[in-house]
Amino acid sequence: MVNMSNLVDRIERHIKKILQDTPQGYVVIQRSGLASQFECAPSQINYVLGTRFTVEQGYLVESRRGGGGYLRIVKLGIETPDYLDDFIAQLDAGEMTQNAAEGLIKRLAEEGLLSKREAMLVRTVVDRETLSLQVPERDRLRARLMAAVLRTLAREDF
Amino acid sequence: MVNMSNLVDRIERHIKKILQDTPQGYVVIQRSGLASQFECAPSQINYVLGTRFTVEQGYLVESRRGGGGYLRIVKLGIETPDYLDDFIAQLDAGEMTQNAAEGLIKRLAEEGLLSKREAMLVRTVVDRETLSLQVPERDRLRARLMAAVLRTLAREDF
DNA sequence: GATATTAAGGTCAGAGAAGGTCAGGGTGGT
DNA sequence: ACCACCCTGACCTTCTCTGACCTTAATATC
């Protein structure tokens, strides 16, 4: 139990914390500042953003380089209906990795669209092991399954 | 019988001990830590988990690799009855038509094992349209999906 | 106004830190 | 002697973290 929490988790928690404490729904910070606060390489911040603040998980990261550069991390709200339709259509036509699906499920759970139990159900259903197909097919099927889940959640009649 | 203190037995007892002493019903440990505690090869831990902490025996093991990796051993609340294990095994090896799946889902819902919403989710997920594969594969996949659902319902740790 | 400097952030390969798998040898009981 | 169980070591996969190098923007200098 040495590493009760590694860097990536601590930084993730920190960002989510200030994101919660802020009313606007976004944070603006400096990469270098955050890095020195956690005494790590600046690129570690990019790693955190790339793995924990993805679009699937409901975040948007904007940035600016150069003098006065910054990172702006936005927490996206529950999808607007039209955005959702587009997203479902994309899924139906495309693929989704297990990681991406897990991010999305996590987000749906966080936003209260899926209960813990429901999230668990969906998670096992789209699991690699369960699907047991080879890769292009598996990711396509997973995408369709997630699309079906979203479509069901979008129904309001039960 | 002589050797009641095999490594495997000692490690098993140790894990069960801390599992009992903990109120949450699960333990989080590091494989490497446990291995050095018992002065054995790390893979021995996997052997213990694979032989003594299986789903049939009422345990669930989740893990994470990489830096900050861990093992999470969960004691399931209710041991799954044998007939359910058999049924799940059959499903995993066999096929299930959409009709059969709908019948099963309906029954699960009637017995209160699935909420209305959950039933709806599962129903869309195993739907012909969603799966969109040709028939022998589709029915096999549906069987695996239903097996995954049943296995999740048997968990009581969330 | 053009150019140089400085101050950001971005990318990617590779090292490091876990856990997973499997073949194969050991051991004890019958 | 055989069989089932135990245990290890070599090799694999996944996740994390850093450092070297690159791009972009603001500002200072000429």
Side-chain angles (χ1 to χ4, degrees):
Chain A
M1 278 207 236
V2 183
N3 234 354
M4 202 43 206
S5 56
N6 46 24
L7 247 184
V8 70
D9 291 331
R10 284 189 290 126
I11 298 176
E12 176 190 7
R13 276 202 302 274
H14 177 254
I15 296 175
K16 290 193 171 164
K17 179 90 195 317
I18 52 182
L19 213 36
Q20 243 179 357
D21 294 352
T22 201
Q24 300 100 8
Y26 67 83
V27 202
V28 177
I29 32 172
Q30 306 236 144
R31 186 181 76 150
S32 54
L34 200 53
S36 66
Q37 197 177 327
F38 282 92
E39 293 176 313
C40 66
S43 56
Q44 174 68 0
I45 306 300
N46 296 83
Y47 179 73
V48 175
L49 295 177
T51 55
R52 307 291 205 264
F53 293 85
T54 65
V55 176
E56 286 92 10
Q57 294 172 74
Y59 297 91
L60 205 84
V61 178
E62 296 166 333
S63 67
R64 181 130 173 216
R65 304 187 188 192
Y70 59 86
L71 296 171
R72 181 158 170 274
I73 303 161
V74 186
K75 170 73 181 149
L76 299 177
I78 296 170
E79 291 102 320
T80 61
D82 40 329
Y83 168 78
L84 187 61
D85 284 345
D86 286 355
F87 187 54
I88 291 176
Q90 267 188 310
L91 274 182
D92 261 323
E95 340 191 319
M96 185 168 236
T97 65
Q98 181 161 336
N99 264 337
E102 265 161 18
L104 178 56
I105 294 165
K106 193 173 154 209
R107 177 192 184 189
L108 293 172
E110 272 170 13
E111 291 188 359
L113 291 174
L114 283 177
S115 71
K116 255 183 159 176
R117 242 172 80 101
E118 289 162 353
M120 209 63 218
L121 271 174
V122 178
R123 213 172 278 128
T124 37
V125 152
V126 301
D127 190 281
R128 226 179 257 116
E129 297 287 316
T130 306
L131 302 183
S132 85
L133 292 172
Q134 291 309 304
V135 260
E137 292 310 318
R138 197 206 300 158
D139 287 355
R140 274 199 277 275
L141 173 60
R142 186 182 292 114
R144 289 199 301 276
L145 292 173
M146 289 307 299
V149 167
L150 290 177
R151 243 183 259 110
T152 306
L153 294 183
R155 295 176 54 164
E156 297 270 331
D157 60 315
F158 57 93
Chain B
M1 274 310 160
V2 174
N3 229 351
M4 207 43 209
S5 45
N6 285 333
L7 247 184
V8 69
D9 290 328
R10 285 189 291 127
I11 297 175
E12 177 190 6
R13 277 201 302 274
H14 178 253
I15 296 175
K16 291 193 171 164
K17 180 88 195 319
I18 51 182
L19 212 36
Q20 245 178 357
D21 294 351
T22 200
Q24 300 102 7
Y26 67 83
V27 203
V28 177
I29 33 171
Q30 306 232 155
R31 187 181 76 151
S32 55
L34 200 54
S36 66
Q37 199 176 324
F38 282 92
E39 294 177 313
C40 64
S43 56
Q44 174 67 3
I45 307 300
N46 296 83
Y47 179 73
V48 175
L49 295 177
T51 55
R52 307 291 205 263
F53 294 85
T54 66
V55 176
E56 294 83 33
Q57 288 164 310
Y59 296 90
L60 201 91
V61 179
E62 295 166 335
S63 68
R64 181 136 160 214
R65 304 188 189 193
Y70 59 84
L71 297 171
R72 180 160 170 274
I73 303 161
V74 185
K75 169 78 181 140
L76 298 180
I78 303 162
E79 279 185 47
T80 62
D82 288 349
Y83 75 88
L84 188 55
D85 283 340
D86 291 349
F87 185 54
I88 291 176
Q90 267 187 311
L91 274 182
D92 261 324
E95 342 190 318
M96 185 169 237
T97 65
Q98 181 160 339
N99 264 334
E102 268 162 14
L104 177 56
I105 294 166
K106 193 171 156 211
R107 223 186 76 206
L108 291 172
E110 280 167 1
E111 287 180 12
L113 291 171
L114 282 176
S115 72
K116 248 182 154 181
R117 249 173 75 98
E118 288 161 356
M120 204 66 212
L121 271 174
V122 178
R123 213 173 279 126
T124 39
V125 152
V126 300
D127 189 281
R128 209 175 276 121
E129 295 289 315
T130 306
L131 303 183
S132 87
L133 292 172
Q134 292 310 305
V135 261
E137 278 77 25
R138 197 207 301 157
D139 288 354
R140 273 199 278 275
L141 174 60
R142 186 181 292 112
R144 286 198 304 275
L145 292 175
M146 289 306 301
V149 167
L150 291 178
R151 242 182 262 111
T152 306
L153 294 184
R155 288 179 61 159
E156 292 275 324
D157 65 308
F158 53 90

